[in-house]
Amino acid sequence: MNEHYLGISFVVFIFVILFLTVVSKLLSLFGIKFLKPNWNENPISLNLSKSLNFFQFVGYWFTISGIINTLFVGVFYQEIEKESIMKFSYGIALLIGITLSLKWLNKNEQSRTTI
């Protein structure tokens, strides 16, 4: 596997996690309260408090798509497809970013209510 793809995957992995957590924190400072993603909700919602539903949907989509493509190409062509591994890392980064942003936002809300 080329080191170029590994480097790009790692940089984008860290960037997506940091971007999602920082943007959600900045928007929460303007009064937007983010809700935990729910599968019963429409992922394409124009309500900013439910915007994490879309990122959860895309995260699972990329993760499953990356796994399926990697297995398909691995079984039939005995190769590792680099783009599928990148999709998998993007999906995992989105799911980790959602989890960290919700923990960070809930931690700050709990500290405000206890003071």
Side-chain angles (χ1 to χ4, degrees):
M1 185 180 238
N2 193 354
E3 293 85 21
H4 180 70
Y5 280 100
L6 287 175
I8 290 174
S9 304
F10 182 72
V11 168
V12 172
F13 181 80
I14 299 299
F15 176 76
V16 167
I17 291 173
L18 292 175
F19 179 78
L20 207 57
T21 54
V22 170
V23 167
S24 63
K25 178 63 178 173
L26 288 175
L27 289 176
S28 71
L29 293 176
F30 291 111
I32 298 171
K33 183 177 179 182
F34 287 97
L35 302 174
K36 185 176 179 181
N38 186 1
W39 282 104
N40 294 332
E41 302 276 336
N42 185 7
I44 305 173
S45 176
L46 297 177
N47 189 356
L48 282 178
S49 65
K50 296 180 182 178
S51 63
L52 293 179
N53 285 339
F54 176 73
F55 291 113
Q56 181 186 27
F57 175 74
V58 171
Y60 279 114
W61 181 277
F62 281 174
T63 303
I64 299 301
S65 174
I67 289 171
I68 290 173
N69 286 341
T70 302
L71 289 176
F72 180 77
V73 171
V75 167
F76 290 113
Y77 299 109
Q78 286 83 32
E79 293 180 2
I80 296 176
E81 190 179 34
K82 299 166 189 107
E83 288 83 11
S84 297
I85 292 175
M86 288 176 65
K87 268 199 271 187
F88 176 75
S89 68
Y90 299 161
I92 295 296
L94 282 170
L95 297 175
I96 291 171
I98 290 170
T99 305
L100 289 177
S101 64
L102 287 174
K103 284 185 180 181
W104 192 18
L105 294 174
N106 288 338
K107 180 180 173 183
N108 289 337
E109 285 179 8
Q110 289 174 355
S111 66
R112 283 186 206 156
T113 56
T114 57
I115 294 177

